[in-house]
Amino acid sequence: MFLLNLQSKEPIFEQIQTQILSFIEAGVLKPNDKLPSVRQLATENGINPNTVAKAYAQLEQKGYVYNLPKKGVYVAEISMENSKMLQIEALLKPLKENGITKEDLITAINRLYGEDNNA
């Protein structure tokens, strides 16, 4: 299910997060679907369980998954606001990776929406 590039410059925990969010966005993972256990995902991909746990913890902080102790990690009901944020993050991530700064983005957004920072 997960295709991780261990030679990539992108940290593995971020690759896991990106793929889970992509699966949610595409409808492959639906609300209340159970994710692979930390141990299972780590073993299948030959990575440290702490890496998987970090990915899951950050997704939980953002509200994309929830953890039921001793039962596992599940996909959360994603609100319309979270869905919008998911789409925006998917658009912005490649820009950030290509060296576009926050200031560049703000300038472009202000220009797009007809706002002038110098006013």
Side-chain angles (χ1 to χ4, degrees), residues 1-4 10 12-30 33-38 41 51-60 63-66 73-76 78 86 93:
M1 183 171 182
F2 290 88
L3 298 173
L4 302 177
E10 181 182 19
I12 296 169
F13 77 93
E14 287 182 8
Q15 291 181 49
I16 294 169
Q17 290 178 357
T18 300
Q19 288 187 35
I20 289 172
L21 293 176
S22 294
F23 293 149
I24 292 170
E25 184 75 15
V28 175
L29 288 173
K30 295 177 177 33
D33 281 354
K34 187 175 187 204
L35 296 178
S37 72
V38 169
L41 188 54
T51 302
V52 178
K54 181 176 182 178
Y56 283 3
Q58 288 187 0
L59 287 170
E60 185 175 15
Y64 296 118
V65 301
Y66 62 94
V73 177
Y74 297 82
V75 176
I78 298 180
L86 186 61
K93 188 170 184 176

Side-chain angles (χ1 to χ4, degrees), residues 72-89:
V73 177
Y74 297 82
V75 176
E77 279 287 339
I78 298 180
S79 68
M80 207 51 165
E81 187 62 34
N82 272 350
S83 179
K84 284 182 191 176
M85 209 39 83
L86 186 61
Q87 291 174 359
I88 292 169
E89 288 174 2

Side-chain angles (χ1 to χ4, degrees), residues 88-106:
I88 292 169
E89 288 174 2
L91 288 171
L92 294 178
K93 188 170 184 176
L95 298 175
K96 181 181 178 188
E97 289 170 354
N98 286 313
I100 307 246
T101 67
K102 181 178 174 181
E103 291 73 24
D104 293 336
L105 289 171
I106 291 169

